[in-house]
Amino acid sequence: MVSGWQILVILVIILLLFGGRKIPELAKGLGEGIRSFKKAVAEEEQSQKGEVIDAEVESPAKKGAQQANSQPPITPTQEKKA
């Protein structure tokens, strides 16, 4: 488990390596990247939901078209006549 002192030492080392000016720029870039990723995920989910809704709307129409194109089932009386 990481203790509070270890986190403090890591933060000091990061501050020394990158400097006070560079850290906010890195944080800003990281935030923009996360925001962009979340936006893309949300758009993809909406796109998939739209496809599901379209498929549900098309299904009854397709079934109706398939039934209209198919021949009616043969009844036992029709088999005897044929």
Side-chain angles (χ1 to χ4, degrees):
M1 193 75 170
V2 180
S3 69
W5 286 104
Q6 293 171 337
I7 293 174
L8 182 63
V9 169
I10 291 171
L11 290 175
V12 169
I13 291 172
I14 290 173
L15 182 62
L16 290 173
L17 287 175
F18 293 107
R21 294 183 185 175
K22 194 70 173 173
I23 292 176
E25 293 174 13
L26 292 173
K28 181 181 176 184
L30 181 63
E32 289 174 354
I34 292 172
R35 195 174 318 120
S36 173
F37 178 76
K38 285 183 179 181
K39 182 180 177 183
V41 168
E43 288 175 355
E44 182 65 27
E45 287 176 352
Q46 287 178 346
S47 171
Q48 289 178 352
K49 286 180 183 178
E51 291 173 2
V52 169
I53 291 171
D54 290 343
E56 290 174 355
V57 169
E58 290 178 6
S59 293
K62 285 183 180 179
K63 288 179 184 177
Q66 289 174 350
Q67 289 175 353
N69 292 335
S70 66
Q71 297 177 355
I74 298 176
T75 60
T77 55
Q78 290 175 339
E79 287 180 5
K80 290 179 184 177
K81 292 179 183 178

